[in-house]
Amino acid sequence: MKYFSTRDTSLKLDSAQAIVRGLSKDGGLFCPDGIPKITDDEKKFLISATYRERAAFVLGKFLTDFSEEELNSFCEKAYSTEKFDTPACAPVHMLDEKLAILELWHGPTCAFKDMALQMLPYLLSASLKKTGEKRCAAILVATSGDTGKAALEGFADVEGTKIAVFYPKDGVSKIQERQMTTQSGNNVYVSSVVGNFDDVQSAMKKIFSDEEIRGKASENGCIFSSANSINWGRAVPQIAYYVSGYFDLLASGKISEGDEINVCVPTGNFGNILAAFYAREMGIPIKKFICASNSNNVLTDFFRDGKYDKRREFHVTNSPAMDILISSNLERLVFHLSGNDDKTVVKYMSKLNEDGAYTVSSEIFEKISALFYGGCCNGEDTLKTISSVYSEHNYLIDTHTAVAVNVYNRYVKETGDDSVTLLASTASPFKFADSVLSALGIDINQGGEELLNILSKTTGAKVPLPLSSIFEKEERFLNTATREELPQTVLKFTNGEI
Ligand SMILES: *Cc1c(COP(=O)(O)O)cnc(C)c1O
């Protein structure tokens, strides 16, 4: 299988090259030139396979320049019980007969980003070797909170790599911030940036495509790479948990062979839900994708009328990992649904860049609206949903998952479609303990650690070890940069000054 760019289909790269480069030079995202199908024999294997086996299977289908042994060994390490608190890695919890919660937060940072970022360092190290790259891979990450910590945890002290993480000051939760500022490792750097997530992400994208900065970094012995969800090495491991969730439902008899399911995902950069789209293309019978947004509801509008318009107010919400106005991975969906038409994508993306908006053709919109339902939920309703799920099911969900549950409920009410739905639960409720506690009606004026203990006492749930331990560690990184300073900061990072 080869990879081309959403903005240039004349490229023919191996997956290792696509993973090393992260983003294509033309600004496009790497995509496979075909999507592998799951055969009937493979289905028989997958239904009784372990999570690691299912993940290795999916990786093998897309990363054809990696050997089976390589991928098996990566999966054993990345999805080991040292890293995940359950061997199922992504277990399914039935909230009722119809709603299956796919718990994606059992990894070392308690958010779904671990599912991909525990794997990416192995893929990237091996890809560097395969492509004959001698320079150090300098991973630059713009994060709205969860990616940063998960990437730091994945890359810390991985040979041949170093990682710098930038997050919007005042745009992440206290616990998220402390998770990052206390990160250990000799190859890590963390800084906050003045601005919101889109500001940070745009600044990073600029650095990536700036030939002069790339040249200077190269003189410092570094090549830029990304761990953001635009990297293909992030996308593939995410496909695996939708495949796994589907076969879990089948194995447990919650659905029968041939039944279609729906998938509901709390969405920001569109990476997670896009992985479900690839799972469907592989043959997993998914009828509808329910795309849930918070008050930053640019996608909700897009799925309603085909116009992507980022010219709107940016809201800081209680589901901060979804506070995004430019959902980068949407470009891949538009590319595939346009019949892999790079020229169309270039046209839309330059419109987005110049005017802040684009409208897809009616052909593309027809396909999109047949597959996707968009909905959004404000902060107050997010808290109400946490409270009602807890009182009805004695089950705690975080704010991001609550956005999805809220939109799911509305979808069922509006359409009457009550097919079994796999709903991606993207963070442990403890990670957003302040909001969860206020949803449960508990007054809070304490700092981070106390919050975790109060939530634990109130609900009887245990504080996850990766979260309780950050309060014993010292904060190592208390830097703040402006956007203008970022290129300089990045260069200092590549030459080892910081
Ligand atoms: C990153 C994140 C999301 C959004 O995922 P995308 O792939 O960016 O759409 C949702 N919830 C949580 C908790 C996250 O960390």
Side-chain angles (χ1 to χ4, degrees):
M1 175 167 302
K2 295 288 178 190
Y3 287 80
F4 44 34
S5 156
T6 49
R7 301 188 197 179
D8 181 4
T9 50
S10 70
L11 289 178
K12 272 203 184 313
L13 305 184
D14 287 327
S15 70
Q17 290 171 302
I19 290 169
V20 168
R21 291 193 199 174
L23 187 70
S24 184
K25 276 193 189 127
D26 49 55
L29 279 64
F30 292 117
C31 288
D33 65 358
I35 295 174
K37 298 276 181 218
I38 304 174
T39 67
D40 287 344
D41 278 348
E42 289 166 343
K43 284 181 187 158
K44 284 188 198 122
F45 159 72
L46 288 168
I47 193 164
S48 55
T50 63
Y51 189 81
R52 284 187 221 160
E53 289 168 335
R54 288 169 178 167
F57 167 84
V58 171
L59 291 169
K61 284 277 177 186
F62 285 96
L63 312 177
T64 48
D65 45 329
F66 286 69
S67 72
E68 208 179 312
E69 294 75 59
E70 275 179 305
L71 296 176
N72 284 340
S73 106
F74 297 166
C75 288
E76 256 164 52
K77 288 186 259 182
Y79 302 124
S80 72
T81 43
E82 267 159 53
K83 302 285 188 179
F84 284 77
D85 66 11
T86 158
C89 291
V92 172
H93 174 95
M94 299 302 297
L95 205 58
D96 55 37
E97 279 307 298
K98 297 294 184 183
L99 186 54
I101 308 282
L102 181 63
E103 295 181 347
L104 301 174
W105 38 261
H106 288 275
T109 75
C110 304
F112 95 95
K113 306 287 195 298
D114 288 328
M115 301 304 300
L117 281 165
Q118 281 301 309
M119 174 56 63
L120 182 65
Y122 296 108
L123 296 177
L124 184 66
S125 295
S127 298
L128 288 167
K129 288 202 188 104
K130 281 180 201 297
T131 55
E133 181 56 64
K134 297 280 187 310
R135 288 169 292 183
C136 175
I139 322 289
L140 305 180
V141 181
T143 184
S144 54
D146 289 339
T147 304
K149 176 59 180 180
L152 288 163
E153 199 57 44
F155 280 99
D157 293 325
V158 170
E159 226 186 290
T161 71
K162 60 199 301 187
I163 174 164
V165 169
F166 301 95
Y167 63 90
K169 195 173 163 35
D170 308 324
V172 301
S173 83
K174 285 271 170 292
I175 292 173
Q176 286 177 314
E177 183 166 36
R178 189 161 183 112
Q179 277 188 303
M180 293 190 275
T181 56
T182 55
Q183 178 65 43
S184 56
N186 287 322
N187 61 341
V188 304
Y189 180 77
V190 175
S191 173
S192 63
V193 179
V194 185
N196 64 38
F197 173 69
D198 285 316
D199 296 331
V200 186
Q201 179 163 256
S202 309
M204 275 304 123
K205 276 190 175 171
K206 241 189 221 147
I207 292 174
F208 266 103
S209 54
D210 186 321
E211 285 300 331
E212 198 186 323
I213 300 179
R214 290 178 88 97
K216 284 187 187 152
S218 180
E219 284 166 27
N220 294 338
C222 287
I223 172 177
F224 290 145
S225 193
S226 97
N228 278 91
S229 63
I230 47 175
N231 191 307
W232 183 248
R234 276 275 300 272
V236 201
Q238 296 185 349
I239 303 170
Y241 51 72
Y242 289 107
V243 172
S244 179
Y246 169 77
F247 282 103
D248 275 352
L249 287 173
L250 208 52
S252 64
K254 298 295 173 199
I255 54 170
S256 315
E257 177 96 46
D259 286 352
E260 285 186 311
I261 60 168
N262 292 332
V263 166
C264 179
V265 185
T267 301
N269 224 352
F270 208 74
N272 197 356
I273 196 167
L274 182 82
F277 172 79
Y278 283 116
R280 180 179 188 273
E281 296 295 293
M282 291 182 83
I284 301 298
I286 298 171
K287 184 164 57 177
K288 267 284 185 213
F289 299 98
I290 303 164
C291 177
S293 303
N294 62 24
S295 300
N296 296 294
N297 56 0
V298 56
L299 286 167
T300 311
D301 292 346
F302 177 69
F303 290 124
R304 193 168 299 140
D305 59 14
K307 180 174 184 187
Y308 193 94
D309 191 343
K310 67 162 186 170
R311 298 167 299 184
R312 60 183 72 208
E313 199 189 330
F314 179 89
H315 300 279
V316 174
T317 73
N318 54 17
S319 47
M322 296 154 67
D323 290 350
I324 288 173
L325 292 182
I326 304 173
S327 299
S328 302
N329 274 292
L330 185 65
E331 181 168 340
R332 284 191 167 114
L333 180 75
V334 171
F335 174 72
H336 289 306
L337 293 183
S338 72
N340 296 352
D341 182 354
D342 52 356
K343 289 189 187 58
T344 296
V345 172
V346 168
K347 194 175 72 192
Y348 293 159
M349 292 306 136
S350 47
K351 269 196 128 351
L352 181 63
N353 210 9
E354 283 151 27
D355 313 337
Y358 66 92
T359 305
V360 295
S361 69
S362 54
E363 287 95 344
I364 297 177
F365 182 62
E366 231 168 75
K367 289 186 201 164
I368 285 178
S369 49
L371 284 177
F372 286 82
Y373 170 93
C376 59
C377 166
N378 66 26
E380 202 184 313
D381 289 340
T382 303
L383 297 186
K384 280 188 193 149
T385 306
I386 294 174
S387 160
S388 67
V389 169
Y390 184 65
S391 61
E392 281 165 38
H393 303 281
N394 198 27
Y395 181 76
L396 267 186
I397 54 175
D398 89 295
T399 47
H400 304 76
T401 308
V403 168
V405 171
N406 181 285
V407 172
Y408 162 79
N409 286 336
R410 191 141 15 107
Y411 170 80
V412 176
K413 219 183 245 165
E414 254 176 46
T415 62
D417 174 10
D418 67 347
S419 310
V420 171
T421 297
L422 202 52
L423 184 145
S425 176
T426 50
S428 156
F430 282 92
K431 203 156 181 182
F432 299 92
D434 47 355
S435 300
V436 173
L437 277 169
S438 75
L440 301 182
I442 293 157
D443 243 351
I444 35 155
N445 43 22
Q446 272 94 348
E449 191 173 15
E450 266 311 296
L451 290 181
L452 297 178
N453 294 335
I454 297 170
L455 185 55
S456 175
K457 260 197 215 121
T458 312
T459 60
K462 238 176 102 191
V463 181
L465 188 63
L467 293 182
S468 55
S469 65
I470 56 174
F471 294 98
E472 277 128 49
K473 294 184 187 156
E474 210 174 305
E475 291 195 277
R476 291 176 67 198
F477 301 102
L478 298 165
N479 321 294
T480 302
T482 63
R483 261 179 293 168
E484 293 71 31
E485 286 167 345
L486 282 184
Q488 241 4 72
T489 307
V490 164
L491 284 176
K492 279 189 195 160
F493 165 70
T494 58
N495 77 5
E497 254 179 77
I498 53 173

